[in-house]
Amino acid sequence: MLDSPFRLRPTSAFFVLRDCRKSACESARLSDSSFSAWSHGELEEGICLAHAAGHTELECGGNCKGFAKIWHAASLIGIRELSAAARALADVDRLLATRPEAGGGLRAASLLCAADLAFAQGDTDTAVGLARKGADRARRTGLHGFLPDAHTLLALSALRQGDMSESMELANQLRDWALLGRTAHRPGRCAWAAAQLLELQGGTASAAQLVVGIVMDDELLRELLASQPAAAAWLVRATRKLGDDASARRVVSEAAELAGRNPGLRSVVAAALHAGGLLERDAERVAAAAAAHPDAWAAASAWEDAGKLFAARAADRERAVEALESAVDGYSDPAAPRDARRVVSRLRSLGVRRSHYPQYGAQDGVPTGSLTNTEAAVAELVSQGFTNSQVGERLFISGHTVAFHLKKIFRKMNVASRVELTRAWSQFSNTPGGGSRAR
């Protein structure tokens, strides 16, 4: 299903570190032990060993200590110990400042790790910029194995910001990488990103192969649950939509086992609580997970799930509104307007109107002086062939509202049909500095 020959390879930084062949290299030896512990679910032990690998006194004369520090930072980002991760990356910056001869691989790995940190902190714009710089440096130094990491982060960023065009372009590429084993690092994360994008395109059924592939593979599932606090709950929702309760229970069981092995890691414990509460439709447990999540986006996701569960009980309408309001506010911290708009739509169905409506970021190539952000999003999806109802599903508005926006778009762009809109939109996207995006 997701048969990657690189299944046991870790992050891109560690991938380079393992190339050290000097038997006296303590950084490489300790990092190898760290990854072994991490890949078997002993996350706390793995992090301790990663810290030791970056602070050993024995050096091989290469960049192994720097890569060890990046591996340590990456593991800390996975469990959302972001302040400690930032300190580890600051050590790498100091090391690079004293070693101008350091290879491009170390600099590329540092940029990509910093991009992951920015994304976890909710600074999506900075994350995208760093990921593109890291990808560019990796290409120039011939380290193409780094690229899936960069493209996965770009895909997740596009998904959060509601950039429909870029997310759809990246979906097929990530799907192929995941299915064909072309991602050497964190294939579970790559497959998860692709599954989310495919779900956006065509519903959960279109992502079924990837979803089942992740859930049924012990190593992929463990890798994903260890480093993505929102993944367990997402997989439970996806498998339930597919009518596969057995897979949903498997996800919950694996998440609970990982939390049991690492009781001191808040992100892992909260993720297990969230997934278990969702499976059992226990609103109280899901709300408790939301309060415990150290990751802002995962917490907002849990508040949204809790709100939906509370809303199913008439007596809990007030609690549902409170939870959903917390979700909207939470999604605003990591700049996730697409998710926030989805919750606003649910609040509207409960009779609650918000004065502030989350907006999508401006689309590349859009005449922003004439179209609003919402109109730009509608125009882009319509130009890609989606019907009004399909556009509404993706933007969390009704088909009638889409038709209303289309009338204004036609007038502002001086077009009379969907065909003319598609042609005009294509011209905007192909103008210099317009729709072009760094790859």
Side-chain angles (χ1 to χ4, degrees):
M1 185 75 67
L2 296 177
D3 188 17
S4 169
F6 306 106
R7 180 71 45 73
L8 293 176
R9 288 277 181 89
T11 62
S12 49
F14 190 76
F15 169 63
V16 176
L17 177 60
R18 293 187 76 177
D19 282 346
C20 182
R21 293 291 182 264
K22 296 187 179 179
S23 59
C25 183
E26 192 71 358
S27 288
R29 186 188 68 79
L30 287 169
S31 292
D32 197 47
S33 297
S34 168
F35 179 67
S36 178
W38 181 277
S39 64
H40 287 89
E42 302 296 341
L43 309 186
E44 293 173 310
E45 181 183 353
I47 290 169
C48 288
L49 289 166
H51 178 270
H55 291 81
T56 178
E57 294 300 322
L58 296 175
E59 294 194 49
C60 65
N63 295 319
C64 287
K65 183 176 282 191
F67 283 117
K69 289 179 182 293
I70 294 173
W71 162 243
H72 182 216
S75 62
L76 290 168
I77 293 168
I79 63 165
R80 296 308 188 259
E81 293 290 345
L82 303 184
S83 296
R87 290 194 294 272
L89 280 177
D91 284 347
V92 178
D93 289 339
R94 285 190 286 270
L95 187 151
L96 285 169
T98 62
R99 290 187 177 179
E101 76 285 357
L106 183 60
R107 296 182 186 277
S110 177
L111 285 167
L112 292 175
C113 192
D116 272 342
L117 176 60
F119 185 74
Q121 291 171 329
D123 188 352
T124 309
D125 289 338
T126 297
V128 168
L130 289 168
R132 286 178 172 156
K133 287 180 181 178
D136 181 62
R137 185 171 289 272
R139 288 191 194 95
R140 286 191 280 114
T141 53
L143 293 171
H144 298 287
F146 282 35
L147 297 181
D149 282 350
H151 286 216
T152 297
L153 192 143
L154 291 174
L156 292 173
S157 298
L159 187 66
R160 265 189 201 179
Q161 293 182 316
D163 187 339
M164 306 303 172
S165 178
E166 178 145 359
S167 65
M168 290 176 182
E169 289 174 18
L170 289 165
N172 291 333
Q173 181 186 66
L174 292 177
R175 179 196 60 200
D176 291 344
W177 277 344
L179 290 174
L180 300 177
R182 291 178 180 170
T183 170
H185 319 115
R186 296 183 285 192
R189 184 189 185 212
C190 179
W192 181 55
Q196 291 180 76
L197 296 174
L198 290 172
E199 182 186 46
L200 174 64
Q201 280 184 296
T204 307
S206 66
Q209 185 179 14
L210 286 173
V211 171
V212 174
I214 294 169
V215 173
M216 300 310 295
D217 188 300
D218 291 342
E219 293 168 358
L220 286 178
L221 182 58
R222 190 181 303 120
E223 170 223 323
L224 181 60
L225 298 182
S227 59
Q228 298 297 321
W234 188 90
L235 288 171
V236 169
R237 285 192 294 271
T239 50
R240 293 290 289 270
K241 288 177 184 176
L242 294 171
D244 189 353
D245 285 350
S247 289
R249 288 193 295 272
R250 174 174 165 76
V251 172
V252 170
S253 175
E254 290 295 320
E257 182 180 351
L258 192 64
R261 290 185 180 186
N262 304 277
L265 303 185
R266 291 191 304 146
S267 65
V268 176
V269 173
L273 185 63
H274 184 181
L278 196 57
L279 180 68
E280 301 298 330
R281 295 183 172 85
D282 186 334
E284 299 289 352
R285 284 176 64 187
V286 176
H293 265 303
D295 181 86
W297 193 91
S301 174
W303 282 124
E304 180 182 359
D305 286 332
K308 289 190 287 187
L309 290 169
F310 282 130
R313 305 194 301 246
D316 285 332
R317 179 188 176 280
E318 186 174 335
R319 296 190 69 185
V321 170
E322 182 180 346
L324 292 172
E325 290 279 7
S326 294
V328 175
D329 294 339
Y331 283 134
S332 299
D333 286 340
R338 174 180 173 271
D339 302 296
R341 287 171 69 99
R342 180 178 62 248
V343 182
V344 166
S345 177
R346 186 168 290 275
L347 281 166
R348 192 163 53 238
S349 71
L350 293 175
V352 178
R353 299 273 177 177
R354 287 177 63 94
S355 57
H356 298 290
Y357 200 74
Q359 296 292 323
Y360 290 112
Q363 307 292 317
D364 290 340
V366 175
T368 54
S370 59
L371 295 188
T372 67
N373 290 333
T374 301
E375 289 166 355
V378 168
E380 183 163 319
L381 289 173
V382 168
S383 72
Q384 292 169 4
F386 290 107
T387 65
N388 285 7
S389 61
Q390 289 171 329
V391 172
E393 289 173 2
R394 285 156 178 78
L395 299 182
F396 312 107
I397 55 181
S398 70
H400 294 298
T401 302
V402 172
F404 173 74
H405 284 306
L406 267 179
K407 288 182 181 178
K408 294 198 292 183
I409 292 166
F410 284 1
R411 176 174 51 80
K412 290 180 179 182
M413 295 186 66
N414 194 29
V415 297
S417 69
R418 300 169 89 96
V419 173
E420 289 184 19
L421 171 61
T422 299
R423 186 180 304 117
W425 198 257
S426 176
Q427 291 173 352
F428 278 122
S429 297
N430 292 325
T431 31
S436 60
R437 292 180 176 85
R439 292 288 182 265

